[in-house]
Every structure is written in C-alpha cells, then in structure tokens.
Amino acid sequence: MFQFPSKGNSDLSLVLCGAAGQGVQTLEEILVDSFRKAGYHVFASREYMSRVRGGSNSTEIRISSGRVRALVDRIDILLPLNGGIRANIRKRISPGTLILGDAGEIKDELADTEGTFLNVPLMEKGQEAGGPVYTGIVAAGLLAGLLGVPSEIPAGLLRDRFLAKSEKIVNNNLSALEKGMDLFRELKTLKSASVDISRKKEAVGEMMMNGSDAVSLGALAGGCDFISSYPMSPATGVLTYLAGHARTHAVAVEQTEDEIAAINMALGAAYGGARSMVSTSGGGLSLMGEGVSLAGITELPIVLHIGQRPGPATGMATRTEQGDLNLAIYSGHGDVPRAVFAPGSLEKAFRLTFEAFNLADEFQIPVFILTDQYFLNSFYNVPVFDTSGLKAQRFLVESDTGYRRYEVTESGVSPRSVPGFGKGIVGTDSHEHDEVGHVQEDFELRRRMVDKRLRKRKGIAERVIDPTMSGPNDYRNLVVTWGSLYHIVEEALEKAGLEETAHLHFDQVFPLHRGTRLYLEKARRVVAIEGNATGQFADLIRKETGFLIEDRILWYSGLQVPVETVVEKLLELLN
C-alpha cells in the first residue's frame, strides 16, 4: 500500500500529463482550487509544448500542510490521461511512484519504469459521463477523493466554470466527477493508497494565483491605464488578464500588429499622460529596442514586462530560462537610464510592478519587470496582499506659457506635463533637441542634454530596493540568486542543511544595490545560481563591483531546475 507523504517528505507531489487540448489545464485549475478550499497549501507548475494540439503537456501539483512554493523532481503519484508520455516525465518515475492510469490507453508503455502501475478506467468512465472530453474530470474526482476533498467543492467550481455553456455540460461534468469519486472508493476498498496530510484553515481564505495574475494586479494597483502588446509566450497572460478587466478597471487594451507598433503606441499614450505598459518576451524586446531608445531621448515613462524564455530567436517558445537579463539592461542604442526588477515571489511581483509605474513616472524612464515561463505559469496560495500605503504617483505639473519640457535640472529630471494640462506647449522629438523640444544639431547642447539625462542615474540608484537575505548572519558561504529561483533555492538550502550558508536574493537586478560587494566579501565562498548558460548576473556583478563569482550553478535545459538538483550541486560544492 502506498502511503503519502512518502518517507522523508511532508508533502505529496502529484504529476498530471496528457495531450494538448485534452484538458490538463482545466484539470489542474479545478484541482488546485479544490485543494486550497479544502485547507491544503498548494503549489502547481505546468510545462507545455509549443503547439495547439498533440504532444504531451504536464503539470505538477504539490500538496502540503505548510507553505510550498517550489518545483521538485520527485513524483509520488503520476496520472497520465493517455500514452505518449514524454521522456522528461518518464525519467522522474522512481520505485516510490504510484502510477494511476487507464491500461487501455497506456498499454505497456510504462512497463520498463520502476513505478507501480494501477489500472483505473478513466476513459470508460469519461465515456459514460458523456464522452472522452470528460476523462479529465473523472481524474479530478479520483484525486479529490484521495485527498479527502469534499465533493461539493469541485462540484461548485465546475458549476461556476461551465454554467454559461449549458445545463447539460454542467451535469455531464458533475457525473464525471462522481464517477471519479467512485473510482477512489474502489481504491480505498483495495487499500492501494492513502494520503495523510493535515489541513489548516489559513489556506482556505487565501488567494490562488500565478505569476501572470500577480504582475497584472500590480499593474492595476499601479494605475496602468494603457497596454499595447503583440501576443508572445509566455508573456501573453498579462495582456489577456488586463483585457479581461479592461472595462472594470478603465484600461485601454490594444493588440497590435507587431512589437514595434506596441512600444511606439505605448509611448504615444505616455506622451498623452497614460501610464503605459507592454508585455512581451525576449524576441519581442529585441524588436522593441528602438522604442527603448525612443523612450530614453523623449524621456517618456513606460513599464516593460518581459516573460523570459529560451533563445536565441524562437528557441523553445513555451519553456523557461533567465537568458534575457543582458537584453533588458542593454537594449536600445545610446545611453538610456533604466531600472530592472526581477521578482522572486508573487508578493514581490505585485509590489514591484506597482512600484515600476511610480519609478517610471518619477524619473521618466523605461522600467523592466523580468519574469520567466516558470514564474508566470506557477500557482500557489498567498495571503491577501497588503495594499495599505500604496499610492500611484504621477509626478505631472501643469504647464504655463513659458513651459520647457526638457528643462535642465540638477537631478536630471525635468518637470513633466502633458498636452492639454496647462497653457504651455509640450514639445518632444526623437532627435536631439533643446529644452523646448525643438530639433537642434548643437554640439554643446548635445553634451548638456546627455549629461542631464544621465544625472537621473543617481536618483534611480538611491531607490534601489534591498536584496533579501536569509540564513545565518555569520555565514561562511553565500548563495546568490535572482528572479524565479528564490523559492527553489530557499527550499534547497533547508533540505541541504548547510548551516554556515546564507542566501542573498536580488529582486532588483539593475542598478545593483550599493551594498552588494560588502555582502559578497563577507563570505569565504560565493556561489551564483542562475537559469542561463553563462551566468549573466554573476558577470554583471563583476562588471559593477569588480567581485568575481567563480562558482556558478547554471541550468539551461528549458525546464526549471528542481529543488533536488540544487541540493545535490550545493552539497558537491560546499560540503
């Protein structure tokens, strides 16, 4: 009999897989919300192929009595909806894996693995409920029963999800759910598997969201009222979220013909006073490079959300990597002051996206939010965000007849007005210009304007947020991370038991925090962990501080590095 959590663990790792278009995403969303409503802490992360239909996608759901926020390699229960299971899932199957599958679909495909196969007639029950499309909901009923989730919770979610379609579809789904519950009762009779994870009330009232939701909510809180983007995985979720809330939150949403149009349209909106945003991936940012430069010389504020994926070019369009740090820092020609955030948690994604709008407006610069596919497609429950003290600041002035848009100031920041707000003329130009905004080819003026714009760097540097430090104060070793690796490395360090090792995580990666070198020099050994092939952040630290991080754990398979791998590599280096 399989008993979960397995020995040495405190959570259950459940992996679902099936063909694109087979409803794996719906199954994941129903289960994740059901588990959370039943009182479990939940983490889920999906990986999917770059195609509309066919192939095989998967999602991992971790269920625990305590907070869980990272991806692991271990599979306790594997539930494939059909055959064609990909190699990256097969190699994770161990003797401790219970495989719940339909023998008619799977056949002997997994016979050479070390897992234990248990036949559950998912397809047959789906057909009985109304057709093969309901197979996933049968699986949801089976797993909900196994986790002790009251049937009314997933039933309520199914009603809410399908009521707009038809009563028949709702009833078919409820029938499929009940048939799945029946399968669990048979398993219970056979004493094949049991789960004993305590539930706590704290998770019930929390929010369930993913990275796209957190960035989008931060944008709404920050006063975003215009977004123009060309859809590009994995960043499209922000565009669709804001489109879905456009009417209720007064956001103008434009899907443009390409990324060049997107950023130029956003800059035009910013010229008119909107708080503008674009959402794209590395390939889209390449096309937006000229627009970044335009933002620099026109000094128009804009927020750019970049959902990273493996490059170069199309690379692996639906996979993950931290490969666009250099692109964000150096995109655009000429010298363009900027700030780059890379949140490591959903809470930070919300807060920093909010801050990005204020920072962009205060200094009239582009501000980047760097996420990645893993971060954007990972769900977990979070407490309701603390929004006290959040205030969208627009930093606009009313112009008078003598108004000069590009007035030279000590801070480098000129008073910003917008057309129609006052009696003055708000000039602007992509050429070098004078204080009024008129084109000039004056070499002294050129130096004056470049120096004015670059003086903003001092003020931007004063706003850099502190990196997050965890572990002992008198550390011997220091692990450095940025972006989506935060929770993975936190859990890995806890499991590794490296008592003299601390963790320094950067949610803002440019400009660097002024105290960075002091943190590094305090350690005898420093290790950088990044999701790219060269160590882009470690190289940035070398450039900005002179400190060379020689030990680097770099991961660039297209999948996120799991906790176990980080543990193994840290122990190799530091034990």
Side-chain angles (χ1 to χ4, degrees), residues 535-555:
Q536 294 184 16
F537 188 57
D539 288 343
L540 176 68
I541 288 175
R542 176 68 184 274
K543 175 178 178 290
E544 296 289 321
T545 71
F547 190 99
L548 173 62
I549 302 178
E550 295 183 351
D551 293 315
R552 303 179 184 191
I553 297 173
L554 306 175
W555 193 262

Side-chain angles (χ1 to χ4, degrees), residues 60-139:
E60 173 178 309
I61 304 175
R62 295 180 70 189
I63 304 107
S64 175
S65 58
R67 293 202 183 280
V68 56
R69 295 183 163 189
L71 182 81
V72 293
D73 202 42
R74 185 188 84 249
I75 299 179
D76 293 320
I77 296 178
L78 172 65
L79 195 152
L81 292 177
N82 62 355
I85 300 161
R86 288 169 57 84
N88 64 303
I89 299 297
R90 288 173 56 90
K91 72 179 184 182
R92 295 169 61 190
I93 298 173
S94 72
T97 303
L98 173 63
I99 305 167
L100 299 174
D102 191 318
E105 289 292 310
I106 309 300
K107 298 185 171 54
D108 59 352
E109 187 176 322
L110 298 176
D112 60 341
T113 67
E114 297 179 308
T116 299
F117 186 86
L118 198 59
N119 179 42
V120 282
L122 299 172
M123 185 64 76
E124 176 189 327
K125 298 299 179 184
Q127 288 281 13
E128 291 175 4
V133 71
Y134 298 103
T135 302
I137 303 304
V138 175

Side-chain angles (χ1 to χ4, degrees), residues 299-363:
E299 301 184 53
L300 288 169
I302 184 171
V303 174
L304 301 98
H305 167 244
I306 313 299
Q308 297 171 99
R309 68 189 205 190
T314 308
M316 301 173 78
T318 59
R319 304 298 176 176
T320 199
E321 196 163 282
Q322 290 182 304
D324 296 332
L325 176 61
N326 287 338
L327 184 63
I329 292 173
Y330 302 116
S331 65
H333 49 284
D335 294 306
V336 181
R338 69 194 69 190
V340 184
F341 294 137
S345 67
L346 299 187
E347 291 91 337
K348 285 289 180 66
F350 168 77
R351 189 78 191 199
L352 292 182
T353 306
F354 166 84
E355 297 288 353
F357 283 90
N358 278 350
L359 192 67
D361 272 25
E362 181 177 2
F363 292 97

Side-chain angles (χ1 to χ4, degrees), residues 28-238:
E28 175 200 46
E29 291 171 0
I30 293 294
L31 284 176
V32 162
D33 225 15
S34 294
F35 294 149
R36 195 265 307 168
K37 284 177 179 285
Y40 292 113
H41 288 283
V42 187
F43 168 86
S45 181
R46 66 180 65 148
E47 56 98 12
Y48 52 97
M49 299 183 72
S50 180
R51 59 179 68 174
V52 176
R53 196 171 185 84
S56 183
N57 301 332
S58 74
T59 186
E60 173 178 309
I61 304 175
R62 295 180 70 189
I63 304 107
S64 175
S65 58
R67 293 202 183 280
V68 56
R69 295 183 163 189
L71 182 81
V72 293
D73 202 42
R74 185 188 84 249
I75 299 179
D76 293 320
I77 296 178
L78 172 65
L79 195 152
L81 292 177
N82 62 355
I85 300 161
R86 288 169 57 84
N88 64 303
I89 299 297
R90 288 173 56 90
K91 72 179 184 182
R92 295 169 61 190
I93 298 173
S94 72
T97 303
L98 173 63
I99 305 167
L100 299 174
D102 191 318
E105 289 292 310
I106 309 300
K107 298 185 171 54
D108 59 352
E109 187 176 322
L110 298 176
D112 60 341
T113 67
E114 297 179 308
T116 299
F117 186 86
L118 198 59
N119 179 42
V120 282
L122 299 172
M123 185 64 76
E124 176 189 327
K125 298 299 179 184
Q127 288 281 13
E128 291 175 4
V133 71
Y134 298 103
T135 302
I137 303 304
V138 175
L142 167 63
L143 295 169
L146 189 60
L147 269 294
V149 177
S151 62
E152 56 266 27
I153 292 178
L157 294 170
L158 289 170
R159 282 194 194 92
D160 292 343
R161 192 179 188 96
F162 296 109
L163 190 59
K165 294 194 172 181
S166 75
E167 191 66 29
K168 180 183 178 184
I169 291 177
V170 170
N171 289 335
N172 287 351
N173 275 285
L174 295 181
S175 173
L177 181 73
E178 187 55 33
K179 290 180 185 301
M181 290 278 186
D182 287 341
L183 288 179
F184 158 67
R185 294 181 189 107
E186 292 177 21
L187 284 182
K188 190 175 180 182
T189 302
L190 296 172
K191 297 183 178 179
S192 304
S194 69
V195 177
D196 184 15
I197 298 174
S198 61
R199 290 179 271 174
K200 297 180 179 177
K201 291 183 179 179
E202 63 180 3
V204 176
E206 294 189 343
M207 304 182 295
M208 200 75 209
M209 65 172 60
N210 63 18
S212 293
D213 299 338
V215 170
S216 301
L217 288 169
L220 292 176
C224 174
D225 45 29
F226 185 88
I227 182 170
S228 50
S229 289
Y230 180 77
M232 190 171 189
S233 296
T236 308
V238 173

Side-chain angles (χ1 to χ4, degrees), residues 240-256:
T240 55
Y241 187 102
L242 291 177
H245 295 78
R247 291 185 184 278
T248 54
H249 291 75
V251 182
V253 179
E254 181 68 21
Q255 179 180 322
T256 55

